[in-house]
Amino acid sequence: MIDAQVLPTPVGELSVLVRDGVLVAAGFTPEPKEMFARLAPAVQAEGLTVIDDLGPASRAVRDYFAGDLDALDAIPAEQPGSPLRRALHQALRQVKAGTTVTYAELAERAGLPRSAARAAGGACARNLIAPFVPCHRVLPSTGGFGGYYYGVAVKEWLLEHESSRR
């Protein structure tokens, strides 16, 4: 069974989905079913239940938005993908709050050549666990904010929230 909770945040409601204590999806939407629909059919077959408290994941979200910028890092997360995509998602989790990297730098951190920036962008676009897997911390080398699944305004807000660390 997949347990879900919708948590209020200053930048909008965040749906968080957990399976056996491990994050499988999270995103800025008030509707957990939107995140659930992005999961693999085998995982969806387990069903979805909305509950009042996910425990550690819920506390981490509250703590992060209250200013503990490392709170999300301790929550285990798992998402599908090729070994390449998994390496990129793991490298994303190593990008600390208050810092940003380019897509080429993310590729390099995952052990790939800088020319694999497009693969890094694809991994960010398919990230199911925002902001725990912080794809908002990746910016284009040409400047600006680039895209973000939940809108550039959310990405900008998250980066501003984390800027106190700089």
Side-chain angles (χ1 to χ4, degrees):
M1 181 62 69
I2 307 299
D3 292 324
Q5 182 180 0
V6 179
L7 294 145
T9 78
V11 72
E13 292 179 298
L14 179 68
S15 289
V16 179
L17 284 66
V18 172
R19 174 188 190 204
D20 297 326
V22 177
L23 285 165
V24 293
F28 291 96
T29 174
E31 184 48 65
K33 288 180 182 177
E34 288 180 24
M35 299 308 304
F36 186 71
R38 295 179 68 194
L39 297 174
V43 177
Q44 290 180 21
E46 296 179 23
L48 176 70
T49 302
V50 177
I51 63 174
D52 292 333
D53 187 10
L54 292 173
S58 301
R59 280 191 300 281
V61 169
R62 287 190 292 273
D63 291 348
Y64 170 81
F65 284 102
D68 179 358
L69 301 178
D70 297 325
L72 303 179
D73 298 344
I75 304 301
E78 181 180 294
Q79 56 187 316
S82 67
L84 173 68
R85 188 178 308 158
R86 287 176 184 247
L88 286 159
H89 285 157
Q90 184 59 37
L92 264 173
R93 288 208 88 183
Q94 303 307 311
V95 178
K96 293 297 178 193
T99 65
T100 60
V101 296
T102 66
Y103 293 100
E105 289 168 337
L106 178 62
E108 206 168 50
R109 287 176 176 222
L112 303 168
R114 291 179 66 83
S115 59
R118 186 172 294 243
C124 288
R126 290 171 187 84
N127 177 22
L128 297 177
I129 311 176
F132 294 85
V133 178
C135 55
H136 64 276
R137 296 179 189 152
V138 183
L139 302 173
S141 60
T142 56
F145 289 97
Y148 190 61
Y149 190 87
Y150 303 102
V152 174
V154 173
K155 183 174 187 171
E156 288 181 70
W157 191 97
L158 292 169
L159 291 173
E160 179 62 30
H161 174 63
E162 295 175 355
S163 69
S164 64
R165 164 111 359 129
R166 291 184 191 147

